[in-house]
Structure formats: C-alpha cells, structure tokens
C-alpha cells in the first residue's frame, strides 16, 4: 500500500503560457494504492461526482496502464475539477508516484512527467506538462519543449476559486492563433522578469512579470467578474494578478503581510458580481509527497 499527497498547481502565470507552473501548498489530492489483478478506482472529495471511476476514462487509470501497474486506487480529491488549479494533474502526479513506488518501477520524478501528462491528456485532450511538472517536482517549473527546469521559490500567493466551471478545452479555444512582434517582445520581457523574481524570492518582480496581453485577456472573458476581482486584489496590495491555468481560479501574488487582505478582497469582489468564491492563502511549495 502506498499513500501520496500531490499539490494543486497554477500554470501559465500570465507570461508563461504552456511553459510556467508552480506547485501550491494547498489544496491537494491524496491517493492510496494497493496491488490488484486489475485496476479499480474510487473517487471521494471535492467534485468527485464529476469524475469517472471507469479506469479507461480517468487520468489515474491511464497512469496505471502506462506503468503496467494494476491497483485498487482510492482518490480523495482536494483540488476541484475544472478549477484552473491542476486538478487532473494532481491526481495523475499522485498516481504516478504511488504506483511507481508500489511496483518498484524505479523511475525518477522527471521520468514520471510524460507518464502523468499522458494521463492528463484524457481530460484536456492534449498533454501539457506545465501542471504535472510542478505537481511532481515542486517549486516553479519552466517546461520548454521536452525539458523541464525547476527553481525552488518562496513566494506568497492567493488562489481564489469561484463557484463557476471552465473546461480546459473551452479555454484553449479562445486563445488567439497568432501574436504581433510587439506582444511577443512584451511577453518575453515579462517572462524574464518573473523568472528573476522567482530566483530572488521577490513577489514584486513575480507579480509584475505576470503581465501579458494575449492569452490572459481572452481567457478573462470566461471568468465572471475577472476585472473587478483583479482590481480589488491590486488595491488590497497584490503585486500581480492573472488567470490561473485555464481558469476560473484567479491567482494573485503578494507579500506575506498582505495575503489575508488580498484573499478577503477577492472573495468580496466576487460577491459583488453574484459569484460565491473561496480563497486559498498559499505559497509555492513542494511536489508530490509519499507518506
Ligand atoms: N497551460 C495549459 C492551459 C494548462 O492553460 O491551457 C492546462 O493544462
């Protein structure tokens, strides 16, 4: 029997579409696996009613198949599906680590990335490593082609999750096909600024480096109240705000002493547009952990 906790993650961080990701210290999924002749899956926890238990339709079933590791698998969801907080990646990463341990496969965390990403493709239609990489490795991750670079960072964050759902498939349809040279130059400048901020544990640089004018505005349209919540977070002291992954969660960066106020301001702002929300006061954290 193996038990693994894998964290929520936030991908893109504005300027790093399909490249940047961070592990969050909360929320998280917990997975328990036991050897069995064939894979069975039981799902409990947040949003479990929306998650198929058929191993052929579940990210975790795909991971078990890829590792040739049939098991009785219990998933306790802490990361809500369709949240923009890497829900399927958390389950896929947890399963990859747990089954790798259960069957002594001996694969490294880096070797587990493509296996967990294939599982995630079942849900999103495409394999993206920008959520599974931080869920497995922790920290701030940069996924470029087939290579992932990791930086351990200590940055306070607020992830505010409204009671609306946005599917990754829908959020990818609204992404523009092309960008201008001016936009590309701005995005590269932001991404570089953000990366330096992560290396220096500097929330001001990280927040400023999230600024991006192509993908984020298109996706913000899918999140009721985005502009109102963004303004409220900035007024409360956030150094930067963006859509978390495919949304609808909104991610704010701030200094530690402002985190509580930023979280409260974001919840209140969602309330003014008639949307219930909860906020996780969190930070960049470790990846999947074996108990
Ligand atoms: N980078 C992806 C997106 C993350 O934003 O669409 C979802 O897996």
């Amino acid at each position: 029997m193996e038990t693994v906790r894998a964290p929520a993650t936030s991908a893109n961080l504005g300027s790093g579409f399909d490249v940047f990701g961070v592990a969050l210290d909360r929320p998280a999924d917990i997975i328990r696996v036991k050897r069995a002749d064939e894979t069975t899956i039981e799902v409990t926890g947040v949003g479990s009613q929306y998650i198929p238990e058929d191993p052929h339709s579940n990210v975790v079933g795909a991971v078990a198949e890829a590792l040739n590791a049939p098991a009785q698998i219990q998933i306790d969801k802490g990361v809500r599906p369709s949240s923009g907080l890497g829900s399927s990646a958390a389950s896929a990463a947890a399963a990859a680590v747990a089954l790798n341990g259960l069957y002594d496969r001996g694969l490294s965390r880096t070797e587990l990335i493509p296996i967990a990403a294939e599982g995630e493709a079942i849900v999103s239609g495409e394999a993206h490593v920008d959520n599974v990489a931080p869920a497995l490795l922790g920290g701030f991750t940069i996924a470029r082609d087939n290579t992932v670079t990791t930086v351990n960072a200590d940055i306070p964050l607020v992830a505010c999750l409204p009671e609306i759902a946005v599917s990754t498939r829908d959020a990818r349809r609204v992404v523009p096909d092309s960008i201008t040279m001016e936009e590309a130059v701005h995005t590269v400048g932001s991404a570089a600024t953000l990366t330096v901020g992560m290396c220096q544990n500097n929330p001001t640089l990280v927040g400023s480096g999230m600024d991006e004018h192509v993908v984020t505005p298109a996706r913000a349209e899918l999140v009721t109240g985005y502009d109102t919540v963004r303004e409220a977070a900035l007024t409360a002291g956030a150094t930067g705000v963006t859509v978390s992954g495919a949304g609808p969660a909104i991610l704010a960066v701030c200094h530690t002493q402002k985190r509580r106020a930023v979280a409260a301001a974001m919840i209140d702002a969602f309330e003014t547009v008639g949307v219930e929300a909860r906020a996780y006061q969190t930070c960049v954290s470790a990846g999947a952990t074996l108990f």
Side-chain angles (χ1 to χ4, degrees):
M1 168 118 171
E2 297 279 7
T3 304
V4 172
R5 176 190 190 274
T9 49
S10 183
N12 303 332
L13 305 176
S15 58
F17 177 62
D18 279 354
V19 174
F20 291 163
V22 283
L24 308 177
D25 76 335
R26 56 195 288 263
D29 282 4
I30 293 176
I31 282 195
R32 291 178 188 85
V33 295
K34 254 196 242 171
R35 283 193 189 223
D37 292 335
E38 62 181 45
T39 296
T40 55
I41 299 173
E42 184 194 337
V43 190
T44 55
V46 189
S48 53
Q49 66 272 33
Y50 303 113
I51 300 175
E53 293 187 335
D54 173 4
H56 300 290
S57 324
N58 187 301
V59 291
V60 163
V63 171
E65 176 133 2
L67 285 169
N68 189 21
Q72 185 186 328
I73 303 174
Q74 285 179 296
I75 309 172
D76 185 8
K77 293 296 297 174
V79 189
R80 198 197 82 187
S82 297
S83 61
L85 295 173
S87 178
S88 52
S91 292
V97 171
L99 295 170
N100 185 46
L102 188 70
Y103 278 87
D104 294 321
R105 294 284 182 253
L107 299 177
S108 69
R109 292 294 173 106
T110 303
E111 288 168 331
L112 291 175
I113 291 174
I115 289 166
E118 277 310 313
E120 212 209 335
I122 284 193
V123 169
S124 67
E126 291 172 60
H128 304 288
V129 305
D130 52 352
N131 283 111
V132 290
L136 283 164
L137 304 175
F140 165 59
T141 55
I142 301 170
R144 179 167 167 266
D145 301 327
N146 292 321
T147 313
V148 176
T149 308
T150 319
V151 174
N152 288 322
D154 184 12
I155 296 288
L157 301 165
V158 176
C160 187
L161 178 58
E163 283 295 324
I164 49 181
V166 173
S167 84
T168 301
R169 282 174 208 262
D170 291 345
R172 289 194 82 79
R173 276 192 209 112
V174 303
V175 173
D177 288 332
S178 59
I179 67 170
T180 64
M181 180 56 75
E182 192 184 349
E183 286 159 344
V185 169
H186 176 76
T187 304
V188 171
S190 287
T193 303
L194 185 147
T195 303
V196 171
M198 288 288 183
C199 294
Q200 297 181 347
N201 292 328
N202 182 328
T204 304
L205 287 182
V206 172
S208 146
M210 295 203 308
D211 191 48
E212 187 271 343
H213 303 155
V214 182
V215 180
T216 313
R219 289 198 163 167
E221 299 279 327
L222 303 177
V223 183
T224 309
Y226 177 80
D227 290 336
T228 308
V229 173
R230 181 173 185 277
E231 275 313 308
L234 292 171
T235 302
T239 58
V241 179
T242 193
V243 177
S244 177
I250 300 179
L251 186 77
V253 179
C254 56
H255 292 272
T256 307
Q257 64 274 23
K258 299 281 185 186
R259 188 163 46 190
R260 184 186 292 262
V262 169
M266 293 173 86
I267 291 171
D268 289 350
F270 265 124
E271 202 179 318
T272 66
V273 295
V275 176
E276 249 186 75
R278 64 170 301 173
Y280 298 97
Q281 296 181 47
T282 181
C283 60
V284 181
S285 77
T289 313
L290 264 163
F291 284 92

